[in-house]
């Protein structure tokens, strides 16, 4: 009973909120990617694999940039992590391009392709890590971005733990939510992408290149998933560690469904998962079985999907291959 007040303090602490914000970011970025690919009608189960590639290449590019250009890195402290983030995004897009070619052009089952890419990414990351660093499961340590503090909020005692020493990726991720919503609602690209995901034949009749739009949607998902992996490696892990994604690519898919295929909804759902992820780390200090705590975010994922999936409204043509010549 004496642990109950301690548990309540943990649940309501600013430190837990700050940790939740940090852990929300990788889920949110991957969920945004899932929104774009599924709004275009392509299911991307391979987000987890794209995140894995992002973790490895993010860490490797950061490390080798720092080693190859020490003088320049000393003059521009964030140059190495910027190079790492760029490599992570490109790695995610490379794997996404494979998914797009296989599913859009050759119309292979999208679930099978995604699962195959996830398996490929695990083996490829281990192979490359041995090739580059002579060990199988981790890279050397790397430095992340220079932390920032948010003006005004950092001076409020209740919000100081959240607003100080932030990764610059965190406010950028929030801006991407706003930008993603605006793109989908207000821009020609967003309207065409949604049209392709709802009724590709009608979109094709109106002169929209269905294949091109679906390629772009999948590539965007790969870029954002790679970005999420780069954030994990550069900002949270300060290096690559095998298995560091811990299924967040799959949790991101659940967040997308919970958010009803919209960026703002994905933000709310990702924050929920991020909170329980942070909680699983915080309450380890209490006398609660570790095995139960570590599966808590996944239990929440299952419960959310079980309660929400019936009310969710996916794009009408989501997961359905399109073949122009057969229509």
């Amino acid at each position: 009973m004496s642990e109950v007040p301690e548990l309540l303090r943990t649940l309501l602490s600013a430190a837990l909120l700050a940790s939740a914000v940090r852990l929300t970011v990788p889920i949110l970025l991957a969920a945004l990617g899932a929104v774009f690919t599924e709004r275009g009608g392509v299911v991307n189960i391979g987000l987890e694999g794209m995140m894995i590639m992002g973790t490895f290449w993010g860490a490797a590019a950061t490390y080798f940039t720092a080693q190859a250009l020490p003088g320049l890195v000393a003059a521009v402290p964030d140059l190495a992590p910027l190079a790492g983030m760029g490599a992570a995004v490109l790695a995610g897009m490379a794997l996404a391009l494979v998914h797009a070619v296989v599913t859009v052009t050759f119309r292979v089952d999208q679930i099978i392709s995604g699962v195959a890419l996830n398996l490929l990414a695990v083996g490829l990351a281990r192979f490359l890590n041995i090739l580059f660093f002579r060990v199988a499961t981790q890279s050397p340590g790397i430095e992340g971005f220079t932390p920032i503090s948010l003006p005004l909020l950092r001076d409020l005692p209740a919000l100081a733990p959240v607003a100080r020493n932030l990764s610059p990726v965190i406010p950028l991720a929030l801006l991407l939510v706003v930008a993603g919503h605006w793109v989908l609602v207000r821009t020609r690209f967003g309207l065409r992408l949604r049209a392709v995901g709802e009724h590709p034949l009608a979109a094709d009749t109106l002169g929209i290149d269905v294949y091109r739009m679906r390629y772009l949607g999948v590539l965007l998902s790969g870029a954002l998933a790679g970005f999420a992996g780069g954030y994990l490696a550069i900002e949270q892990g300060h290096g690559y560690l095998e298995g560091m994604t811990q299924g967040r690519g799959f949790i991101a898919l659940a967040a997308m469904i919970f958010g009803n295929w919209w960026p703002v909804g994905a933000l709310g759902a990702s924050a929920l998962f991020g909170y329980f992820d942070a909680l699983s780390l915080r309450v380890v200090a209490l006398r609660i079985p570790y095995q139960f705590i570590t599966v808590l975010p996944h239990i929440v994922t299952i419960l959310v999907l079980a309660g929400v999936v019936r009310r969710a409204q996916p794009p009408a043509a989501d997961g359905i291959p399109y073949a122009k010549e057969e229509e």
Side-chain angles (χ1 to χ4, degrees), residues 25-35 47 51 221 224-225 228 248-249 252-253:
V25 170
I27 300 173
L28 172 61
L29 290 171
L32 281 177
V35 168
L47 286 174
M51 286 184 72
S221 73
L224 289 165
R248 287 184 174 87
L253 289 169

Side-chain angles (χ1 to χ4, degrees), residues 205-232:
T205 305
L206 293 173
I208 299 173
D209 189 334
V210 175
Y211 294 151
R212 178 172 174 271
M213 296 308 299
R214 288 193 164 183
Y215 263 80
L216 291 175
V218 176
L219 288 175
L220 269 175
S221 73
L224 289 165
F227 193 23
Y231 171 81
L232 277 174

Side-chain angles (χ1 to χ4, degrees), residues 130-165:
I130 294 173
L131 183 67
F132 290 167
F133 303 118
R134 306 299 179 191
V135 293
T137 58
Q138 64 181 43
S139 72
I142 55 175
E143 296 291 332
F145 288 100
T146 304
I148 63 171
S149 295
L150 299 178
L152 301 179
L153 296 181
R154 65 187 175 191
D155 298 325
L156 300 176
L159 296 178
V162 181
R164 291 180 180 175
N165 296 318

Side-chain angles (χ1 to χ4, degrees), residues 250-277:
F250 301 112
I251 295 177
L253 289 169
M256 174 203 64
I257 295 172
F258 190 32
N260 211 15
W261 285 265
W262 283 104
V264 176
L267 170 61
S270 299
L272 176 67
F273 292 123
Y275 178 81
F276 279 100
D277 204 0

Side-chain angles (χ1 to χ4, degrees), residues 95-106 113 214-215 218-219:
L95 211 59
L97 180 60
V98 175
H99 187 59
V101 171
V102 168
T103 58
V104 178
T105 301
F106 296 105
S113 172
R214 288 193 164 183
Y215 263 80
V218 176
L219 288 175

